[in-house]
Coordinates of all heavy atoms in Angstrom, one line a residue:
I623 N 54.3 -105.9 77.3 CA 55.4 -104.9 77.1 C 55.7 -104.9 75.6 O 56.1 -106.0 75.0 CB 56.6 -105.3 78.0 CG1 56.3 -104.8 79.4 CG2 57.8 -104.6 77.4 CD1 57.4 -105.2 80.4
T624 N 55.6 -103.8 75.0 CA 55.9 -103.6 73.5 C 57.2 -102.9 73.3 O 57.6 -102.8 72.1 CB 54.7 -102.9 72.8 OG1 54.5 -101.7 73.5 CG2 53.5 -103.8 72.9
T625 N 57.8 -102.3 74.3 CA 59.0 -101.5 74.2 C 60.0 -101.8 75.3 O 59.6 -102.2 76.4 CB 58.8 -100.0 74.1 OG1 58.2 -99.6 75.4 CG2 57.9 -99.6 72.9
F626 N 61.3 -101.7 75.0 CA 62.3 -101.8 76.0 C 63.1 -100.5 76.0 O 63.1 -99.7 75.1 CB 63.3 -102.9 75.6 CG 62.7 -104.3 75.7 CD1 62.4 -104.9 74.5 CD2 62.4 -104.9 76.9 CE1 61.8 -106.2 74.5 CE2 61.7 -106.1 76.9 CZ 61.5 -106.8 75.7
I627 N 63.8 -100.2 77.1 CA 64.7 -99.1 77.3 C 66.1 -99.6 77.4 O 66.5 -100.4 78.3 CB 64.3 -98.2 78.5 CG1 62.9 -97.7 78.4 CG2 65.3 -97.1 78.7 CD1 62.4 -97.1 79.6
L628 N 67.0 -99.2 76.5 CA 68.4 -99.6 76.5 C 69.2 -98.5 77.3 O 69.3 -97.3 76.9 CB 69.0 -99.6 75.1 CG 68.3 -100.7 74.1 CD1 68.8 -100.4 72.7 CD2 68.8 -102.1 74.6
L629 N 69.8 -98.9 78.4 CA 70.5 -98.0 79.3 C 71.8 -97.5 78.6 O 72.2 -96.4 78.9 CB 70.8 -98.7 80.6 CG 69.7 -98.9 81.6 CD1 70.2 -99.5 82.9 CD2 68.9 -97.6 81.8
G630 N 72.4 -98.3 77.8 CA 73.6 -97.9 77.1 C 74.9 -98.1 78.1 O 74.8 -98.9 79.0
L631 N 75.9 -97.3 77.9 CA 77.1 -97.5 78.7 C 77.2 -96.5 79.8 O 77.7 -96.8 80.9 CB 78.4 -97.4 77.8 CG 78.6 -98.4 76.7 CD1 79.8 -98.1 75.8 CD2 78.9 -99.8 77.4
T632 N 76.7 -95.3 79.6 CA 76.8 -94.3 80.7 C 75.7 -93.2 80.5 O 75.2 -93.0 79.3 CB 78.2 -93.6 80.6 OG1 78.2 -92.6 81.6 CG2 78.5 -93.0 79.3
D633 N 75.4 -92.5 81.5 CA 74.5 -91.4 81.5 C 75.2 -90.1 81.5 O 74.6 -89.0 81.3 CB 73.5 -91.4 82.7 CG 72.5 -92.5 82.5 OD1 72.1 -92.8 81.4 OD2 72.1 -93.1 83.6
D634 N 76.5 -90.1 81.6 CA 77.3 -88.9 81.7 C 77.4 -88.2 80.3 O 77.9 -88.9 79.3 CB 78.8 -89.2 82.1 CG 79.6 -88.0 82.4 OD1 79.4 -86.9 81.7 OD2 80.5 -88.0 83.2
P635 N 76.9 -87.0 80.1 CA 76.8 -86.4 78.7 C 78.2 -86.2 78.1 O 78.3 -86.4 76.9 CB 76.1 -85.0 79.0 CG 75.4 -85.2 80.3 CD 76.2 -86.2 81.1
E636 N 79.2 -85.9 78.9 CA 80.5 -85.7 78.3 C 81.1 -87.0 77.8 O 81.7 -87.1 76.8 CB 81.5 -85.1 79.4 CG 81.1 -83.6 79.7 CD 82.0 -83.0 80.7 OE1 83.0 -83.7 81.2 OE2 81.9 -81.9 81.1
L637 N 80.9 -88.0 78.6 CA 81.4 -89.4 78.2 C 80.6 -89.9 77.0 O 81.2 -90.5 76.1 CB 81.2 -90.4 79.4 CG 82.4 -90.6 80.3 CD1 82.0 -91.5 81.4 CD2 83.6 -91.0 79.6
Q638 N 79.3 -89.5 76.9 CA 78.5 -90.0 75.8 C 79.0 -89.3 74.5 O 79.0 -90.0 73.5 CB 77.0 -89.6 76.0 CG 76.3 -90.5 76.9 CD 74.8 -90.2 77.0 OE1 74.4 -89.1 76.7 NE2 74.1 -91.2 77.4
V639 N 79.5 -88.1 74.6 CA 80.0 -87.4 73.4 C 81.3 -88.1 72.9 O 81.5 -88.4 71.7 CB 80.3 -85.9 73.7 CG1 81.1 -85.3 72.5 CG2 79.0 -85.1 73.9
L640 N 82.1 -88.4 73.9 CA 83.4 -89.1 73.6 C 83.1 -90.5 73.0 O 83.7 -90.9 72.0 CB 84.3 -89.3 74.8 CG 84.9 -88.0 75.4 CD1 85.6 -88.3 76.7 CD2 85.9 -87.4 74.4
I641 N 82.2 -91.2 73.6 CA 81.8 -92.6 73.0 C 81.2 -92.4 71.7 O 81.5 -93.3 70.8 CB 80.8 -93.2 74.0 CG1 81.5 -93.6 75.3 CG2 80.1 -94.5 73.4 CD1 80.5 -94.1 76.4
F642 N 80.4 -91.4 71.4 CA 79.8 -91.2 70.1 C 80.8 -91.0 69.0 O 80.8 -91.6 68.0 CB 78.8 -90.1 70.1 CG 78.1 -89.8 68.8 CD1 76.9 -90.5 68.5 CD2 78.7 -89.0 67.8 CE1 76.3 -90.3 67.3 CE2 78.1 -88.8 66.6 CZ 76.9 -89.4 66.3
I643 N 81.8 -90.1 69.3 CA 82.9 -89.8 68.4 C 83.7 -91.1 68.1 O 84.0 -91.4 66.9 CB 83.8 -88.7 68.9 CG1 83.0 -87.4 69.0 CG2 85.0 -88.5 68.0 CD1 83.7 -86.2 69.7
F644 N 84.1 -91.8 69.2 CA 84.9 -93.0 69.1 C 84.2 -94.0 68.3 O 84.8 -94.6 67.3 CB 85.1 -93.5 70.5 CG 85.8 -94.9 70.5 CD1 87.1 -95.1 70.2 CD2 85.0 -96.0 70.9 CE1 87.7 -96.3 70.2 CE2 85.6 -97.3 70.9 CZ 86.9 -97.4 70.5
L645 N 82.9 -94.3 68.6 CA 82.1 -95.3 67.8 C 81.9 -94.9 66.4 O 81.9 -95.8 65.5 CB 80.8 -95.6 68.5 CG 80.9 -96.4 69.9 CD1 79.5 -96.6 70.4 CD2 81.6 -97.7 69.7
F646 N 81.6 -93.7 66.2 CA 81.4 -93.2 64.8 C 82.6 -93.4 63.9 O 82.5 -93.9 62.8 CB 81.0 -91.7 64.8 CG 80.7 -91.2 63.4 CD1 79.5 -91.5 62.8 CD2 81.6 -90.4 62.8 CE1 79.3 -91.0 61.5 CE2 81.4 -89.9 61.5 CZ 80.2 -90.2 60.9
L647 N 83.8 -93.0 64.5 CA 85.0 -93.2 63.7 C 85.4 -94.6 63.5 O 85.7 -95.0 62.4 CB 86.2 -92.5 64.5 CG 86.1 -91.0 64.5 CD1 87.3 -90.4 65.4 CD2 86.3 -90.4 63.1
T648 N 85.2 -95.5 64.5 CA 85.6 -96.9 64.4 C 84.6 -97.5 63.4 O 85.0 -98.4 62.6 CB 85.5 -97.6 65.7 OG1 84.3 -97.4 66.4 CG2 86.7 -97.2 66.6
Y649 N 83.3 -97.2 63.4 CA 82.3 -97.7 62.5 C 82.6 -97.4 61.1 O 82.6 -98.2 60.2 CB 80.9 -97.2 62.9 CG 79.9 -97.8 62.0 CD1 79.5 -99.1 61.9 CD2 79.2 -96.9 61.1 CE1 78.5 -99.6 61.1 CE2 78.2 -97.3 60.2 CZ 77.9 -98.7 60.2 OH 77.0 -99.1 59.3
M650 N 83.0 -96.1 60.8 CA 83.3 -95.6 59.5 C 84.5 -96.3 58.9 O 84.6 -96.7 57.8 CB 83.4 -94.1 59.4 CG 82.1 -93.3 59.7 SD 80.8 -93.8 58.6 CE 81.4 -93.4 57.0
L651 N 85.6 -96.4 59.8 CA 86.8 -97.1 59.4 C 86.5 -98.6 59.1 O 87.1 -99.1 58.2 CB 87.9 -97.0 60.5 CG 88.6 -95.6 60.6 CD1 89.4 -95.6 61.9 CD2 89.5 -95.4 59.4
S652 N 85.7 -99.2 59.9 CA 85.4 -100.6 59.8 C 84.7 -100.9 58.4 O 85.1 -101.7 57.6 CB 84.5 -101.1 60.9 OG 84.1 -102.4 60.7
V653 N 83.7 -100.1 58.2 CA 82.9 -100.2 56.9 C 83.8 -99.9 55.7 O 83.8 -100.7 54.7 CB 81.6 -99.3 56.9 CG1 80.9 -99.3 55.6 CG2 80.7 -99.8 58.0
T654 N 84.5 -98.8 55.8 CA 85.4 -98.4 54.7 C 86.4 -99.4 54.4 O 86.7 -99.8 53.2 CB 86.1 -97.0 55.0 OG1 85.1 -96.1 55.3 CG2 86.9 -96.6 53.8
G655 N 87.1 -99.9 55.5 CA 88.2 -100.9 55.3 C 87.7 -102.2 54.7 O 88.3 -102.8 53.8
N656 N 86.6 -102.7 55.3 CA 86.0 -104.0 54.8 C 85.5 -103.9 53.4 O 85.6 -104.8 52.6 CB 85.0 -104.5 55.8 CG 85.6 -105.1 57.0 OD1 86.3 -106.2 57.0 ND2 85.5 -104.5 58.1
L657 N 84.9 -102.7 53.1 CA 84.4 -102.5 51.7 C 85.5 -102.4 50.7 O 85.4 -102.9 49.6 CB 83.6 -101.2 51.7 CG 82.1 -101.2 51.9 CD1 81.5 -99.9 51.9 CD2 81.4 -102.2 51.0
A658 N 86.7 -101.9 51.2 CA 87.9 -101.8 50.3 C 88.3 -103.2 50.0 O 88.7 -103.5 48.8 CB 89.0 -101.0 51.0

């Protein structure tokens, strides 16, 4: 086996959009804050 499949948190497209926005914002705030 040379590859794996990551299931993630959910398959629901609407929830995935919310998770993406949430994670993107928290990631940017985290990087910006710690870089500051």
Side-chain angles (χ1 to χ4, degrees):
I623 284 177
T624 55
T625 59
F626 295 106
I627 297 168
L628 295 168
L629 287 184
L631 293 174
T632 179
D633 288 325
D634 188 329
E636 291 181 1
L637 269 177
Q638 282 187 339
V639 171
L640 290 174
I641 290 169
F642 182 88
I643 294 168
F644 170 75
L645 288 179
F646 180 76
L647 290 174
T648 54
Y649 177 70
M650 293 307 295
L651 282 170
S652 174
V653 172
T654 306
N656 283 292
L657 271 178

